Amino acid sequence: MRLGHVAPDLASWAAAVEARTAEAAARGAEVLVMPEWIAKQWLAFAPANLTGPEEVAWLAERTPEALALIRPLAARHGIALLPGSMPVHSPDRSPPWLNRAHIFLPDGTEFHHDKLCLTPSERDPDDWNLSTGSVVRTFDLNGARAAILICLDIELPALSARLAAAGIDILLVPSYTSRLSGYSRVFSCARARAVELLCTVCVVGCFGEFRTANGTAFQSTAGASVYVPCEPELGMTGVLEELPPRETGEDAGPLLVADIPVGRIRRLRNESTGEVWPGAWDASGITVS
């Protein structure tokens, strides 16, 4: 998704989200995943004098209205919607903001995930100044056990070992990476998690340059991929579908994957019939000498 798509206000932004949601639903998608920090697009109509911490506070003040505008879209179009991530105000935390991704299901239920592992700029008191989450929630997504991780979360092997016992079928990973190096870290680790957990990992980022109302430039480089285990019956490579990374250009539209083999992967996992999969292995009993 091109980061530089701007709107003059939240209502116009929500209308653009609905257009993308309707397009995905018309093409047969069951879930639409948008990139991390999609809320940065709102900075196009923010006051021009905001500093880093003030930007986060201003965005967080608008998140409830944004969610209210897009929450009905899942039921309206019959598709689960994960509209990237947005900062939320959390007064019981210090600092009192979190990077949160919501998912809305067509039946009206919703879940959220707060980013667990923050980048240096997200932690910096003089920049975005966020707190970390502490919970990974699993939920039913059309019969599949799903969970959300945000960008850097997917790079954590220790978290993967904790998730193994949960029987995850699908991980949904909204991401924001500035450079090709960041894309390569996030997407290569997402591919590794598909192998380790014997599950599907859907990861999506944004691309292009975006300037805020005060002239600050954000650059992003990414693509979108659906990774599966590297099993013979799943095509050997672990790549089900992908849009390659890009820095500039026109929006190529959503990556539509019509058939994710959840049942086949679950059978491989539950019956331990993967080619060399060692099962939910957490290295307990291993000594590093």
mmCIF file of all heavy atoms in Angstrom, residues 73-99:
data_model
loop_
_atom_site.group_PDB
_atom_site.id
_atom_site.type_symbol
_atom_site.label_atom_id
_atom_site.label_comp_id
_atom_site.label_asym_id
_atom_site.label_seq_id
_atom_site.Cartn_x
_atom_site.Cartn_y
_atom_site.Cartn_z
ATOM 1 N N LEU A 73 -17.346 -1.478 8.790
ATOM 2 C CA LEU A 73 -17.041 -1.941 7.443
ATOM 3 C C LEU A 73 -16.987 -3.462 7.354
ATOM 4 O O LEU A 73 -17.333 -4.040 6.321
ATOM 5 C CB LEU A 73 -15.712 -1.350 6.967
ATOM 6 C CG LEU A 73 -15.623 0.183 6.919
ATOM 7 C CD1 LEU A 73 -14.271 0.610 6.358
ATOM 8 C CD2 LEU A 73 -16.761 0.754 6.096
ATOM 9 N N ALA A 74 -16.539 -4.118 8.429
ATOM 10 C CA ALA A 74 -16.430 -5.575 8.394
ATOM 11 C C ALA A 74 -17.805 -6.208 8.184
ATOM 12 O O ALA A 74 -17.974 -7.084 7.316
ATOM 13 C CB ALA A 74 -15.794 -6.085 9.683
ATOM 14 N N ALA A 75 -18.791 -5.777 8.951
ATOM 15 C CA ALA A 75 -20.139 -6.320 8.792
ATOM 16 C C ALA A 75 -20.767 -5.877 7.478
ATOM 17 O O ALA A 75 -21.450 -6.655 6.804
ATOM 18 C CB ALA A 75 -21.014 -5.889 9.969
ATOM 19 N N ARG A 76 -20.531 -4.625 7.084
ATOM 20 C CA ARG A 76 -21.128 -4.089 5.867
ATOM 21 C C ARG A 76 -20.672 -4.852 4.629
ATOM 22 O O ARG A 76 -21.450 -5.107 3.704
ATOM 23 C CB ARG A 76 -20.774 -2.615 5.735
ATOM 24 C CG ARG A 76 -21.465 -1.905 4.573
ATOM 25 C CD ARG A 76 -21.064 -0.430 4.566
ATOM 26 N NE ARG A 76 -21.409 0.213 5.836
ATOM 27 C CZ ARG A 76 -20.871 1.346 6.283
ATOM 28 N NH1 ARG A 76 -19.945 1.968 5.554
ATOM 29 N NH2 ARG A 76 -21.242 1.865 7.427
ATOM 30 N N HIS A 77 -19.404 -5.256 4.608
ATOM 31 C CA HIS A 77 -18.853 -5.902 3.420
ATOM 32 C C HIS A 77 -18.580 -7.390 3.614
ATOM 33 O O HIS A 77 -18.102 -8.055 2.689
ATOM 34 C CB HIS A 77 -17.580 -5.187 2.993
ATOM 35 C CG HIS A 77 -17.814 -3.762 2.586
ATOM 36 N ND1 HIS A 77 -18.368 -3.419 1.367
ATOM 37 C CD2 HIS A 77 -17.613 -2.585 3.251
ATOM 38 C CE1 HIS A 77 -18.471 -2.098 1.287
ATOM 39 N NE2 HIS A 77 -18.023 -1.573 2.422
ATOM 40 N N GLY A 78 -18.873 -7.914 4.810
ATOM 41 C CA GLY A 78 -18.700 -9.349 5.042
ATOM 42 C C GLY A 78 -17.264 -9.804 4.988
ATOM 43 O O GLY A 78 -16.965 -10.897 4.480
ATOM 44 N N ILE A 79 -16.349 -9.008 5.529
ATOM 45 C CA ILE A 79 -14.927 -9.314 5.457
ATOM 46 C C ILE A 79 -14.260 -8.848 6.743
ATOM 47 O O ILE A 79 -14.610 -7.799 7.286
ATOM 48 C CB ILE A 79 -14.298 -8.621 4.225
ATOM 49 C CG1 ILE A 79 -12.800 -8.934 4.111
ATOM 50 C CG2 ILE A 79 -14.528 -7.126 4.258
ATOM 51 C CD1 ILE A 79 -12.163 -8.360 2.854
ATOM 52 N N ALA A 80 -13.332 -9.653 7.265
ATOM 53 C CA ALA A 80 -12.568 -9.219 8.428
ATOM 54 C C ALA A 80 -11.620 -8.099 8.005
ATOM 55 O O ALA A 80 -11.029 -8.145 6.926
ATOM 56 C CB ALA A 80 -11.785 -10.387 9.014
ATOM 57 N N LEU A 81 -11.466 -7.097 8.865
ATOM 58 C CA LEU A 81 -10.664 -5.921 8.533
ATOM 59 C C LEU A 81 -9.641 -5.671 9.631
ATOM 60 O O LEU A 81 -9.994 -5.479 10.790
ATOM 61 C CB LEU A 81 -11.568 -4.694 8.371
ATOM 62 C CG LEU A 81 -10.858 -3.341 8.181
ATOM 63 C CD1 LEU A 81 -10.020 -3.327 6.911
ATOM 64 C CD2 LEU A 81 -11.883 -2.207 8.181
ATOM 65 N N LEU A 82 -8.358 -5.681 9.227
ATOM 66 C CA LEU A 82 -7.273 -5.302 10.123
ATOM 67 C C LEU A 82 -6.651 -4.029 9.544
ATOM 68 O O LEU A 82 -5.795 -4.100 8.659
ATOM 69 C CB LEU A 82 -6.231 -6.432 10.209
ATOM 70 C CG LEU A 82 -5.224 -6.400 11.364
ATOM 71 C CD1 LEU A 82 -4.435 -7.699 11.409
ATOM 72 C CD2 LEU A 82 -4.268 -5.222 11.309
ATOM 73 N N PRO A 83 -7.112 -2.864 10.008
ATOM 74 C CA PRO A 83 -6.704 -1.599 9.383
ATOM 75 C C PRO A 83 -5.364 -1.076 9.903
ATOM 76 O O PRO A 83 -5.262 0.042 10.417
ATOM 77 C CB PRO A 83 -7.856 -0.664 9.749
ATOM 78 C CG PRO A 83 -8.294 -1.167 11.092
ATOM 79 C CD PRO A 83 -8.105 -2.652 11.071
ATOM 80 N N GLY A 84 -4.333 -1.876 9.775
ATOM 81 C CA GLY A 84 -3.013 -1.444 10.189
ATOM 82 C C GLY A 84 -2.915 -1.224 11.684
ATOM 83 O O GLY A 84 -3.539 -1.939 12.468
ATOM 84 N N SER A 85 -2.115 -0.243 12.094
ATOM 85 C CA SER A 85 -1.998 0.073 13.519
ATOM 86 C C SER A 85 -2.091 1.571 13.737
ATOM 87 O O SER A 85 -1.809 2.364 12.840
ATOM 88 C CB SER A 85 -0.692 -0.468 14.105
ATOM 89 O OG SER A 85 0.421 0.309 13.716
ATOM 90 N N MET A 86 -2.482 1.915 14.965
ATOM 91 C CA MET A 86 -2.704 3.308 15.349
ATOM 92 C C MET A 86 -2.258 3.474 16.794
ATOM 93 O O MET A 86 -2.344 2.537 17.591
ATOM 94 C CB MET A 86 -4.193 3.662 15.260
ATOM 95 C CG MET A 86 -4.846 3.299 13.949
ATOM 96 S SD MET A 86 -6.656 3.420 14.052
ATOM 97 C CE MET A 86 -7.097 2.764 12.433
ATOM 98 N N PRO A 87 -1.803 4.668 17.181
ATOM 99 C CA PRO A 87 -1.495 4.866 18.590
ATOM 100 C C PRO A 87 -2.778 5.021 19.407
ATOM 101 O O PRO A 87 -3.745 5.623 18.934
ATOM 102 C CB PRO A 87 -0.677 6.163 18.586
ATOM 103 C CG PRO A 87 -1.152 6.900 17.385
ATOM 104 C CD PRO A 87 -1.531 5.857 16.373
ATOM 105 N N VAL A 88 -2.776 4.457 20.592
ATOM 106 C CA VAL A 88 -3.919 4.613 21.493
ATOM 107 C C VAL A 88 -3.414 5.148 22.831
ATOM 108 O O VAL A 88 -2.291 4.867 23.250
ATOM 109 C CB VAL A 88 -4.677 3.293 21.712
ATOM 110 C CG1 VAL A 88 -5.283 2.793 20.415
ATOM 111 C CG2 VAL A 88 -3.778 2.230 22.337
ATOM 112 N N HIS A 89 -4.254 5.935 23.469
ATOM 113 C CA HIS A 89 -3.932 6.473 24.785
ATOM 114 C C HIS A 89 -4.244 5.427 25.828
ATOM 115 O O HIS A 89 -5.333 4.854 25.853
ATOM 116 C CB HIS A 89 -4.733 7.748 25.049
ATOM 117 C CG HIS A 89 -4.374 8.418 26.330
ATOM 118 N ND1 HIS A 89 -5.245 8.540 27.385
ATOM 119 C CD2 HIS A 89 -3.205 8.995 26.735
ATOM 120 C CE1 HIS A 89 -4.655 9.164 28.376
ATOM 121 N NE2 HIS A 89 -3.422 9.458 28.017
ATOM 122 N N SER A 90 -3.287 5.140 26.691
ATOM 123 C CA SER A 90 -3.454 4.143 27.744
ATOM 124 C C SER A 90 -2.975 4.752 29.053
ATOM 125 O O SER A 90 -1.790 4.678 29.404
ATOM 126 C CB SER A 90 -2.649 2.880 27.404
ATOM 127 O OG SER A 90 -2.829 1.878 28.371
ATOM 128 N N PRO A 91 -3.875 5.397 29.815
ATOM 129 C CA PRO A 91 -3.459 6.185 30.985
ATOM 130 C C PRO A 91 -2.797 5.374 32.087
ATOM 131 O O PRO A 91 -2.106 5.940 32.942
ATOM 132 C CB PRO A 91 -4.776 6.809 31.466
ATOM 133 C CG PRO A 91 -5.851 5.959 30.894
ATOM 134 C CD PRO A 91 -5.323 5.438 29.602
ATOM 135 N N ASP A 92 -2.967 4.037 32.091
ATOM 136 C CA ASP A 92 -2.334 3.214 33.120
ATOM 137 C C ASP A 92 -0.896 2.862 32.780
ATOM 138 O O ASP A 92 -0.222 2.172 33.547
ATOM 139 C CB ASP A 92 -3.137 1.933 33.346
ATOM 140 C CG ASP A 92 -3.255 1.081 32.091
ATOM 141 O OD1 ASP A 92 -3.235 1.650 30.990
ATOM 142 O OD2 ASP A 92 -3.372 -0.151 32.219
ATOM 143 N N ARG A 93 -0.418 3.293 31.619
ATOM 144 C CA ARG A 93 0.955 3.037 31.201
ATOM 145 C C ARG A 93 1.781 4.303 31.293
ATOM 146 O O ARG A 93 1.262 5.416 31.243
ATOM 147 C CB ARG A 93 0.991 2.524 29.747
ATOM 148 C CG ARG A 93 0.207 1.252 29.498
ATOM 149 C CD ARG A 93 0.802 0.067 30.228
ATOM 150 N NE ARG A 93 0.136 -1.160 29.837
ATOM 151 C CZ ARG A 93 0.594 -1.995 28.897
ATOM 152 N NH1 ARG A 93 1.708 -1.718 28.255
ATOM 153 N NH2 ARG A 93 -0.071 -3.089 28.607
ATOM 154 N N SER A 94 3.078 4.127 31.382
ATOM 155 C CA SER A 94 4.000 5.255 31.350
ATOM 156 C C SER A 94 5.186 4.871 30.465
ATOM 157 O O SER A 94 5.953 3.984 30.833
ATOM 158 C CB SER A 94 4.486 5.600 32.752
ATOM 159 O OG SER A 94 5.366 6.710 32.715
ATOM 160 N N PRO A 95 5.295 5.539 29.320
ATOM 161 C CA PRO A 95 4.457 6.580 28.713
ATOM 162 C C PRO A 95 3.053 6.044 28.381
ATOM 163 O O PRO A 95 2.871 4.842 28.196
ATOM 164 C CB PRO A 95 5.202 6.958 27.428
ATOM 165 C CG PRO A 95 6.558 6.328 27.537
ATOM 166 C CD PRO A 95 6.453 5.194 28.449
ATOM 167 N N PRO A 96 2.081 6.919 28.265
ATOM 168 C CA PRO A 96 0.686 6.473 28.164
ATOM 169 C C PRO A 96 0.179 6.220 26.744
ATOM 170 O O PRO A 96 -0.982 6.480 26.451
ATOM 171 C CB PRO A 96 -0.070 7.633 28.808
ATOM 172 C CG PRO A 96 0.732 8.832 28.437
ATOM 173 C CD PRO A 96 2.170 8.387 28.455
ATOM 174 N N TRP A 97 1.048 5.704 25.841
ATOM 175 C CA TRP A 97 0.595 5.408 24.484
ATOM 176 C C TRP A 97 1.111 4.041 24.051
ATOM 177 O O TRP A 97 2.202 3.616 24.436
ATOM 178 C CB TRP A 97 1.089 6.465 23.492
ATOM 179 C CG TRP A 97 0.547 7.821 23.762
ATOM 180 C CD1 TRP A 97 -0.718 8.284 23.503
ATOM 181 C CD2 TRP A 97 1.229 8.895 24.378
ATOM 182 N NE1 TRP A 97 -0.852 9.579 23.911
ATOM 183 C CE2 TRP A 97 0.331 9.988 24.458
ATOM 184 C CE3 TRP A 97 2.534 9.063 24.873
ATOM 185 C CZ2 TRP A 97 0.682 11.203 25.016
ATOM 186 C CZ3 TRP A 97 2.893 10.271 25.428
ATOM 187 C CH2 TRP A 97 1.965 11.334 25.498
ATOM 188 N N LEU A 98 0.307 3.369 23.243
ATOM 189 C CA LEU A 98 0.659 2.054 22.697
ATOM 190 C C LEU A 98 0.478 2.075 21.187
ATOM 191 O O LEU A 98 -0.357 2.823 20.667
ATOM 192 C CB LEU A 98 -0.244 0.969 23.291
ATOM 193 C CG LEU A 98 -0.138 0.728 24.803
ATOM 194 C CD1 LEU A 98 -1.395 0.016 25.303
ATOM 195 C CD2 LEU A 98 1.107 -0.082 25.133
ATOM 196 N N ASN A 99 1.228 1.250 20.493
ATOM 197 C CA ASN A 99 1.045 1.024 19.063
ATOM 198 C C ASN A 99 0.126 -0.183 18.929
ATOM 199 O O ASN A 99 0.546 -1.318 19.167
ATOM 200 C CB ASN A 99 2.405 0.765 18.397
ATOM 201 C CG ASN A 99 2.292 0.542 16.902
ATOM 202 O OD1 ASN A 99 1.211 0.570 16.320
ATOM 203 N ND2 ASN A 99 3.428 0.296 16.263
#
